[in-house]
Tab-separated table of all heavy atoms in Angstrom:
chain	number	residue	atom	x	y	z
F	1	ALA	N	138.184	105.102	179.303
F	1	ALA	CA	138.135	106.373	178.824
F	1	ALA	C	136.702	106.927	178.699
F	1	ALA	O	136.427	108.039	179.009
F	1	ALA	CB	138.748	106.458	177.391
F	2	ALA	N	135.819	106.035	178.478
F	2	ALA	CA	134.392	106.382	178.260
F	2	ALA	C	133.831	106.777	179.647
F	2	ALA	O	133.064	107.733	179.755
F	2	ALA	CB	133.528	105.214	177.728
F	3	GLN	N	134.244	106.067	180.713
F	3	GLN	CA	133.659	106.459	182.012
F	3	GLN	C	134.252	107.859	182.467
F	3	GLN	O	133.467	108.611	183.036
F	3	GLN	CB	134.208	105.431	183.042
F	3	GLN	CG	133.524	104.039	182.878
F	3	GLN	CD	134.028	102.905	183.707
F	3	GLN	OE1	135.184	103.002	184.270
F	3	GLN	NE2	133.349	101.912	183.900
F	4	THR	N	135.394	108.122	182.159
F	4	THR	CA	135.942	109.458	182.430
F	4	THR	C	135.121	110.565	181.576
F	4	THR	O	134.717	111.572	182.156
F	4	THR	CB	137.433	109.519	182.036
F	4	THR	OG1	138.111	108.642	182.845
F	4	THR	CG2	137.947	111.018	182.327
F	5	ALA	N	134.845	110.183	180.380
F	5	ALA	CA	134.115	111.122	179.495
F	5	ALA	C	132.617	111.281	179.971
F	5	ALA	O	132.115	112.476	179.999
F	5	ALA	CB	134.133	110.636	178.022
F	6	VAL	N	132.007	110.221	180.544
F	6	VAL	CA	130.666	110.304	181.089
F	6	VAL	C	130.689	111.345	182.227
F	6	VAL	O	129.850	112.209	182.392
F	6	VAL	CB	130.120	109.015	181.443
F	6	VAL	CG1	128.851	109.178	182.351
F	6	VAL	CG2	129.864	108.176	180.171
F	7	ALA	N	131.672	111.098	183.132
F	7	ALA	CA	131.720	111.991	184.346
F	7	ALA	C	131.855	113.517	183.958
F	7	ALA	O	131.259	114.466	184.395
F	7	ALA	CB	132.918	111.661	185.323
F	8	SER	N	132.810	113.838	182.977
F	8	SER	CA	133.019	115.136	182.512
F	8	SER	C	131.706	115.697	181.774
F	8	SER	O	131.387	116.895	182.044
F	8	SER	CB	134.102	115.195	181.557
F	8	SER	OG	135.355	114.711	182.221
F	9	ALA	N	131.089	114.805	180.897
F	9	ALA	CA	129.907	115.309	180.303
F	9	ALA	C	128.671	115.547	181.305
F	9	ALA	O	127.887	116.516	181.039
F	9	ALA	CB	129.490	114.230	179.276
F	10	GLN	N	128.601	114.703	182.305
F	10	GLN	CA	127.546	115.098	183.374
F	10	GLN	C	127.800	116.372	183.959
F	10	GLN	O	126.869	117.175	184.156
F	10	GLN	CB	127.564	113.881	184.284
F	10	GLN	CG	126.948	112.646	183.791
F	10	GLN	CD	127.087	111.464	184.706
F	10	GLN	OE1	127.881	111.506	185.658
F	10	GLN	NE2	126.235	110.525	184.655
F	11	GLU	N	129.094	116.668	184.293
F	11	GLU	CA	129.317	117.994	184.944
F	11	GLU	C	129.167	119.172	184.027
F	11	GLU	O	128.523	120.149	184.259
F	11	GLU	CB	130.801	117.916	185.513
F	11	GLU	CG	131.313	119.226	186.144
F	11	GLU	CD	130.562	119.588	187.422
F	11	GLU	OE1	129.825	118.712	187.986
F	11	GLU	OE2	130.464	120.774	187.738
F	12	ASN	N	129.528	118.934	182.750
F	12	ASN	CA	129.272	120.043	181.706
F	12	ASN	C	127.801	120.324	181.503
F	12	ASN	O	127.361	121.422	181.424
F	12	ASN	CB	129.872	119.525	180.380
F	12	ASN	CG	129.909	120.642	179.256
F	12	ASN	OD1	130.192	121.811	179.599
F	12	ASN	ND2	129.434	120.366	178.181
F	13	PHE	N	127.014	119.182	181.516
F	13	PHE	CA	125.565	119.406	181.247
F	13	PHE	C	124.967	120.036	182.415
F	13	PHE	O	124.076	120.929	182.370
F	13	PHE	CB	124.852	118.033	181.019
F	13	PHE	CG	123.440	118.074	181.050
F	13	PHE	CD1	122.758	118.637	179.895
F	13	PHE	CD2	122.640	117.748	182.105
F	13	PHE	CE1	121.487	118.744	179.787
F	13	PHE	CE2	121.229	117.839	181.994
F	13	PHE	CZ	120.625	118.367	180.806
F	14	ARG	N	125.520	119.727	183.663
F	14	ARG	CA	124.871	120.290	184.944
F	14	ARG	C	125.148	121.818	184.906
F	14	ARG	O	124.353	122.676	185.236
F	14	ARG	CB	125.447	119.735	186.139
F	14	ARG	CG	124.968	120.234	187.470
F	14	ARG	CD	125.763	119.720	188.577
F	14	ARG	NE	127.043	120.195	188.611
F	14	ARG	CZ	127.433	121.321	189.197
F	14	ARG	NH1	126.492	122.196	189.539
F	14	ARG	NH2	128.691	121.781	189.191
F	15	LEU	N	126.394	122.199	184.513
F	15	LEU	CA	126.648	123.673	184.478
F	15	LEU	C	125.913	124.346	183.339
F	15	LEU	O	125.427	125.433	183.506
F	15	LEU	CB	128.272	123.844	184.158
F	15	LEU	CG	129.171	123.320	185.278
F	15	LEU	CD1	130.526	123.415	184.775
F	15	LEU	CD2	128.916	124.154	186.455
F	16	ALA	N	125.786	123.737	182.131
F	16	ALA	CA	125.021	124.368	181.085
F	16	ALA	C	123.479	124.413	181.415
F	16	ALA	O	122.936	125.487	181.119
F	16	ALA	CB	125.177	123.409	179.708
F	17	GLN	N	122.993	123.511	182.145
F	17	GLN	CA	121.626	123.613	182.576
F	17	GLN	C	121.411	124.711	183.602
F	17	GLN	O	120.446	125.440	183.514
F	17	GLN	CB	121.261	122.224	183.261
F	17	GLN	CG	119.789	122.172	183.661
F	17	GLN	CD	118.842	121.945	182.554
F	17	GLN	OE1	118.943	120.984	181.846
F	17	GLN	NE2	117.996	122.942	182.281
F	18	GLY	N	122.410	124.893	184.409
F	18	GLY	CA	122.333	125.940	185.414
F	18	GLY	C	122.363	127.319	184.737
F	18	GLY	O	121.636	128.330	185.065
F	19	ARG	N	123.313	127.431	183.766
F	19	ARG	CA	123.424	128.694	182.967
F	19	ARG	C	122.132	129.072	182.246
F	19	ARG	O	121.710	130.263	182.220
F	19	ARG	CB	124.649	128.635	182.105
F	19	ARG	CG	125.963	128.697	182.827
F	19	ARG	CD	127.154	128.375	181.885
F	19	ARG	NE	127.144	129.285	180.738
F	19	ARG	CZ	127.678	130.539	180.747
F	19	ARG	NH1	128.127	131.023	181.859
F	19	ARG	NH2	127.532	131.402	179.723
F	20	PHE	N	121.572	127.953	181.561
F	20	PHE	CA	120.384	128.149	180.821
F	20	PHE	C	119.142	128.614	181.695
F	20	PHE	O	118.482	129.606	181.362
F	20	PHE	CB	120.007	126.919	180.066
F	20	PHE	CG	118.819	127.123	179.079
F	20	PHE	CD1	119.005	127.842	177.949
F	20	PHE	CD2	117.519	126.620	179.513
F	20	PHE	CE1	117.905	127.953	177.144
F	20	PHE	CE2	116.456	126.803	178.777
F	20	PHE	CZ	116.571	127.355	177.601
F	21	ASP	N	119.014	127.958	182.905
F	21	ASP	CA	117.927	128.295	183.819
F	21	ASP	C	118.119	129.690	184.374
F	21	ASP	O	117.201	130.339	184.678
F	21	ASP	CB	117.911	127.175	184.825
F	21	ASP	CG	117.516	125.789	184.421
F	21	ASP	OD1	116.947	125.763	183.234
F	21	ASP	OD2	117.701	124.899	185.096
F	22	ALA	N	119.384	130.033	184.505
F	22	ALA	CA	119.708	131.451	185.170
F	22	ALA	C	119.519	132.533	184.012
F	22	ALA	O	119.606	133.737	184.258
F	22	ALA	CB	121.092	131.516	185.619
F	23	GLY	N	119.379	132.120	182.757
F	23	GLY	CA	119.178	133.125	181.748
F	23	GLY	C	120.364	133.532	181.098
F	23	GLY	O	120.326	134.522	180.387
F	24	VAL	N	121.597	133.006	181.420
F	24	VAL	CA	122.852	133.521	180.890
F	24	VAL	C	123.412	132.605	179.862
F	24	VAL	O	124.389	132.897	179.182
F	24	VAL	CB	123.895	133.789	182.052
F	24	VAL	CG1	123.409	134.829	182.987
F	24	VAL	CG2	124.151	132.485	182.743
F	25	GLY	N	122.802	131.365	179.697
F	25	GLY	CA	123.324	130.382	178.797
F	25	GLY	C	122.412	130.362	177.548
F	25	GLY	O	121.150	130.712	177.647
F	26	THR	N	122.867	129.838	176.511
F	26	THR	CA	122.045	129.757	175.237
F	26	THR	C	121.579	128.300	175.138
F	26	THR	O	122.049	127.346	175.728
F	26	THR	CB	122.868	130.183	174.016
F	26	THR	OG1	123.879	129.141	173.838
F	26	THR	CG2	123.473	131.446	174.182
F	27	ILE	N	120.448	128.186	174.341
F	27	ILE	CA	119.914	126.880	174.093
F	27	ILE	C	120.888	125.996	173.290
F	27	ILE	O	120.955	124.723	173.383
F	27	ILE	CB	118.584	127.023	173.253
F	27	ILE	CG1	117.875	125.622	173.125
F	27	ILE	CG2	118.812	127.643	171.977
F	27	ILE	CD1	117.459	125.072	174.497
F	28	LEU	N	121.747	126.610	172.488
F	28	LEU	CA	122.660	125.884	171.691
F	28	LEU	C	123.698	125.248	172.667
F	28	LEU	O	124.101	124.056	172.545
F	28	LEU	CB	123.363	126.822	170.681
F	28	LEU	CG	124.425	126.086	169.806
F	28	LEU	CD1	123.890	125.011	168.974
F	28	LEU	CD2	125.176	127.105	168.905
F	29	GLU	N	124.190	126.070	173.587
F	29	GLU	CA	125.095	125.585	174.532
F	29	GLU	C	124.557	124.372	175.413
F	29	GLU	O	125.230	123.305	175.605
F	29	GLU	CB	125.474	126.620	175.621
F	29	GLU	CG	126.516	126.329	176.741
F	29	GLU	CD	126.638	127.244	177.666
F	29	GLU	OE1	126.169	128.454	177.477
F	29	GLU	OE2	127.508	127.047	178.690
F	30	LEU	N	123.235	124.549	175.788
F	30	LEU	CA	122.546	123.432	176.520
F	30	LEU	C	122.438	122.152	175.795
F	30	LEU	O	122.674	121.046	176.116
F	30	LEU	CB	121.246	123.986	177.019
F	30	LEU	CG	120.382	122.864	177.786
F	30	LEU	CD1	121.066	122.551	179.058
F	30	LEU	CD2	119.072	123.529	178.149
F	31	THR	N	121.919	122.344	174.503
F	31	THR	CA	121.687	121.096	173.682
F	31	THR	C	122.997	120.422	173.310
F	31	THR	O	123.077	119.184	173.145
F	31	THR	CB	120.981	121.580	172.327
F	31	THR	OG1	121.721	122.583	171.675
F	31	THR	CG2	119.482	121.961	172.699
F	32	ASP	N	124.081	121.185	173.087
F	32	ASP	CA	125.344	120.559	172.866
F	32	ASP	C	125.780	119.763	174.054
F	32	ASP	O	126.336	118.732	173.858
F	32	ASP	CB	126.370	121.629	172.506
F	32	ASP	CG	126.296	122.315	171.033
F	32	ASP	OD1	125.466	121.652	170.258
F	32	ASP	OD2	126.789	123.308	170.876
F	33	ALA	N	125.594	120.341	175.297
F	33	ALA	CA	125.979	119.631	176.543
F	33	ALA	C	125.128	118.301	176.594
F	33	ALA	O	125.634	117.268	177.090
F	33	ALA	CB	125.836	120.582	177.621
F	34	GLN	N	123.844	118.518	176.296
F	34	GLN	CA	122.910	117.390	176.371
F	34	GLN	C	123.390	116.223	175.384
F	34	GLN	O	123.389	115.056	175.729
F	34	GLN	CB	121.564	117.752	175.974
F	34	GLN	CG	120.493	116.730	175.493
F	34	GLN	CD	120.040	115.898	176.516
F	34	GLN	OE1	120.214	116.075	177.756
F	34	GLN	NE2	119.385	114.763	176.182
F	35	LEU	N	123.659	116.603	174.061
F	35	LEU	CA	124.109	115.717	173.111
F	35	LEU	C	125.514	115.017	173.555
F	35	LEU	O	125.644	113.739	173.342
F	35	LEU	CB	124.287	116.429	171.744
F	35	LEU	CG	124.813	115.494	170.615
F	35	LEU	CD1	123.745	114.337	170.392
F	35	LEU	CD2	124.976	116.409	169.379
F	36	ALA	N	126.355	115.737	174.091
F	36	ALA	CA	127.648	115.179	174.464
F	36	ALA	C	127.439	114.224	175.666
F	36	ALA	O	128.188	113.184	175.610
F	36	ALA	CB	128.561	116.388	174.885
F	37	LEU	N	126.580	114.412	176.553
F	37	LEU	CA	126.244	113.455	177.594
F	37	LEU	C	125.666	112.341	177.090
F	37	LEU	O	126.145	111.090	177.549
F	37	LEU	CB	125.367	114.163	178.657
F	37	LEU	CG	124.937	113.236	179.817
F	37	LEU	CD1	126.118	112.636	180.561
F	37	LEU	CD2	124.017	113.964	180.722
F	38	THR	N	124.695	112.336	176.184
F	38	THR	CA	124.121	111.187	175.597
F	38	THR	C	125.115	110.355	174.886
F	38	THR	O	125.166	109.064	174.921
F	38	THR	CB	122.932	111.500	174.760
F	38	THR	OG1	121.968	112.271	175.536
F	38	THR	CG2	122.255	110.278	174.157
F	39	GLN	N	125.890	110.973	174.080
F	39	GLN	CA	126.934	110.309	173.294
F	39	GLN	C	127.981	109.619	174.203
F	39	GLN	O	128.410	108.491	173.920
F	39	GLN	CB	127.632	111.326	172.278
F	39	GLN	CG	126.744	111.655	171.195
F	39	GLN	CD	127.401	112.744	170.331
F	39	GLN	OE1	128.423	113.444	170.606
F	39	GLN	NE2	126.924	112.890	169.053
F	40	ALA	N	128.464	110.354	175.289
F	40	ALA	CA	129.322	109.659	176.158
F	40	ALA	C	128.770	108.432	176.820
F	40	ALA	O	129.441	107.434	177.008
F	40	ALA	CB	129.740	110.670	177.344
F	41	GLN	N	127.436	108.452	177.227
F	41	GLN	CA	126.824	107.325	177.881
F	41	GLN	C	126.613	106.141	176.786
F	41	GLN	O	126.869	105.021	177.168
F	41	GLN	CB	125.407	107.777	178.454
F	41	GLN	CG	125.605	108.748	179.637
F	41	GLN	CD	124.236	109.206	180.077
F	41	GLN	OE1	123.337	109.321	179.303
F	41	GLN	NE2	124.079	109.451	181.389
F	42	ASN	N	126.279	106.475	175.563
F	42	ASN	CA	126.212	105.474	174.503
F	42	ASN	C	127.664	104.884	174.271
F	42	ASN	O	127.642	103.701	174.111
F	42	ASN	CB	125.588	106.116	173.274
F	42	ASN	CG	124.126	106.477	173.334
F	42	ASN	OD1	123.514	105.868	174.237
F	42	ASN	ND2	123.737	107.255	172.512
F	43	THR	N	128.652	105.774	174.242
F	43	THR	CA	130.013	105.226	174.003
F	43	THR	C	130.406	104.294	175.077
F	43	THR	O	130.983	103.175	174.949
F	43	THR	CB	130.962	106.425	173.931
F	43	THR	OG1	130.620	107.227	172.816
F	43	THR	CG2	132.487	105.843	173.683
F	44	GLU	N	130.082	104.593	176.339
F	44	GLU	CA	130.351	103.739	177.521
F	44	GLU	C	129.675	102.444	177.354
F	44	GLU	O	130.112	101.323	177.611
F	44	GLU	CB	130.013	104.300	178.842
F	44	GLU	CG	130.287	103.503	180.059
F	44	GLU	CD	129.758	104.200	181.384
F	44	GLU	OE1	128.841	104.899	181.284
F	44	GLU	OE2	130.255	103.694	182.437
């Protein structure tokens, strides 16, 4: 389950990073994605 969560979190962070760099995403969205990825990797 954790490996699946890591793959999803990596994709979610990639999208949030792209949105933030393009100026259409918020810092809150990016940091939430960043935290979710770190937590998923820690859980794995």
Side-chain angles (χ1 to χ4, degrees):
Q3 289 174 342
T4 302
V6 168
S8 300
Q10 287 175 336
E11 178 63 17
N12 182 50
F13 175 74
R14 186 186 66 81
L15 295 174
Q17 182 74 63
R19 288 171 55 82
F20 182 77
D21 292 341
V24 295
T26 65
I27 188 66
L28 181 61
E29 178 185 357
L30 178 61
T31 55
D32 285 346
Q34 156 76 12
L35 179 60
L37 175 57
T38 302
Q39 289 177 341
Q41 291 174 331
N42 287 343
T43 300
E44 180 189 20

